[in-house]
Amino acid sequence: MQTAHTLDVLRTQVAKLREGGDTVGLVPTMGALHEGHLTLVRRAREACDHVVASIFVNPTQFGPNEDLDAYPRQLEVDAAMLEAEGCALLWAPNAAEMYPDGFATNITVTGVSEGLCGASRPGHFDGVATVVCKLFHQALPDMAFFGEKDFQQLAVIRAMARDLDLTRPHVHSIIGVPTVREADGLAMSSRNRYLSDTDRTAAATLPRAMKEAIARIEDGQEPAPTLNAFEDELLGAGFDSIDYASLVDSSSLAPISALTGSAARLIVAARIGGTRLIDNMAVSA
Ligand code: PAF
């Protein structure tokens, strides 16, 4: 596996990979890789001739009181994991390479970015949309792979790519890959490592209680009281607060008060021991 730290090297290496018409799949990450990321790499390998993974802890998507400094960084460990999965090229720019002096452009996707995490993390999705747009232009992939765990992020990226005509000729497919979970159901996340043992055990209440709430809503119970009871269960299990627990339309991410016959999603962000966990699951209409 080659590693590129500068855009010039990345472009040269990507051009080599594309020789003979070979296709390239991009897996954008912020490092601290886990099985969820490696699943994205495997999907990319199945679909494309070569995989380029990026590791960049993007400062512009962190709020002033968020965990930018504490975010785990382990480039060598991550590089070894990517190499073992058959990744061809690692793109690991530093902040000055990504945001040179005078950088002044910001991409805002309205609508899907506004509620849910957008409400509790102002500016977060501008940071994501801007850096992902840059990553697409830098690596010129045929396909890009993102986890469905960040369901709203995926919707924002799809909207950005559609609106800015990034889907052709370069990133003609943005592929959402189902969430990978620990044995007890907790969605894999680089932030799970912040949890104490007690909080880690309690955190498994989140996916379990989500499944139970979904079963009740699918059985015809009213969503609003079901979600109130769901929130009480999380608080009772040791969660400190719930940012949101919403039943939303899967495409628009607009809250819905009842199942409408189109695809719906239960989407949650909750805090435990100072760590913010997010999760989402499909709800059958
Ligand atoms: O999901 C992530 O790890 C990040 O938000 C992404 C897509 C790599 C952009 O920095």
Side-chain angles (χ1 to χ4, degrees), residues 10 13 20 26 73-74 76 97 125 130 140 144 147 152 161 166 169 174 185 187-188 199 227 259 266-267 275:
L10 177 77
Q13 296 293 345
L26 176 68
R73 287 160 174 89
Q74 46 171 55
E76 277 177 29
E97 185 75 13
F125 287 120
T130 306
L140 303 180
Q152 189 177 15
L166 300 187
I174 292 172
M188 288 198 186
D199 291 340
L227 293 181
L259 296 179
L266 175 60
I267 188 159
T275 301

Side-chain angles (χ1 to χ4, degrees), residues 173-195:
S173 299
I174 292 172
I175 311 291
V177 178
T179 303
V180 180
R181 296 179 180 279
E182 302 286 356
D184 63 3
L186 183 67
M188 288 198 186
S189 165
S190 306
R191 290 187 166 103
N192 289 351
R193 65 185 73 188
Y194 298 154
L195 296 168

Side-chain angles (χ1 to χ4, degrees), residues 91-110:
W91 170 219
N94 62 28
E97 185 75 13
M98 190 61 96
Y99 299 114
D101 272 354
F103 187 89
T105 301
N106 192 42
I107 297 175
T108 299
V109 177
T110 59

Side-chain angles (χ1 to χ4, degrees), residues 136-209:
F136 285 178
H137 284 298
Q138 292 165 345
L140 303 180
D142 298 280
M143 299 187 186
F145 297 78
F146 296 89
E148 281 186 351
K149 187 196 149 240
D150 297 294
F151 200 74
Q152 189 177 15
Q153 165 172 286
L154 183 56
V156 169
I157 290 167
R158 285 191 201 281
M160 181 273 294
R162 179 200 63 211
D163 294 350
L164 299 182
D165 303 313
L166 300 187
T167 45
R168 232 171 246 105
H170 304 312
V171 186
H172 73 215
S173 299
I174 292 172
I175 311 291
V177 178
T179 303
V180 180
R181 296 179 180 279
E182 302 286 356
D184 63 3
L186 183 67
M188 288 198 186
S189 165
S190 306
R191 290 187 166 103
N192 289 351
R193 65 185 73 188
Y194 298 154
L195 296 168
S196 68
D197 289 349
T198 313
D199 291 340
R200 172 63 192 82
T201 305
T205 308
L206 175 61
R208 188 181 44 71

Side-chain angles (χ1 to χ4, degrees), residues 62-79:
F62 288 78
N65 299 317
E66 293 184 356
D67 55 345
L68 174 62
D69 292 337
Y71 201 84
R73 287 160 174 89
Q74 46 171 55
L75 192 62
E76 277 177 29
V77 174
D78 289 342

Side-chain angles (χ1 to χ4, degrees), residues 27-31 37 54 56-58 61 71 124 127-129 131-132 135 146-147 150 153 157:
V27 178
T29 82
M30 297 203 303
H37 298 108
S54 64
F56 178 63
V57 183
N58 175 34
Q61 68 186 74
Y71 201 84
H124 168 68
V128 170
V131 82
V132 171
L135 289 167
F146 296 89
D150 297 294
Q153 165 172 286
I157 290 167

Side-chain angles (χ1 to χ4, degrees), residues 184-268:
D184 63 3
L186 183 67
M188 288 198 186
S189 165
S190 306
R191 290 187 166 103
N192 289 351
R193 65 185 73 188
Y194 298 154
L195 296 168
S196 68
D197 289 349
T198 313
D199 291 340
R200 172 63 192 82
T201 305
T205 308
L206 175 61
R208 188 181 44 71
M210 285 177 74
K211 277 196 191 147
E212 288 166 8
I214 288 169
R216 287 194 197 106
I217 293 169
E218 288 175 344
D219 269 1
Q221 289 191 21
E222 285 285 319
T226 307
L227 293 181
N228 286 341
F230 163 78
E231 293 195 13
D232 288 345
E233 187 173 353
L234 289 190
L235 295 172
F239 278 78
D240 304 316
S241 61
I242 288 107
D243 278 7
Y244 57 80
S246 298
L247 184 66
V248 299
D249 178 273
S250 289
S251 306
S252 67
L253 303 192
I256 51 176
S257 53
L259 296 179
T260 58
S262 51
R265 206 96 191 162
L266 175 60
I267 188 159
V268 181

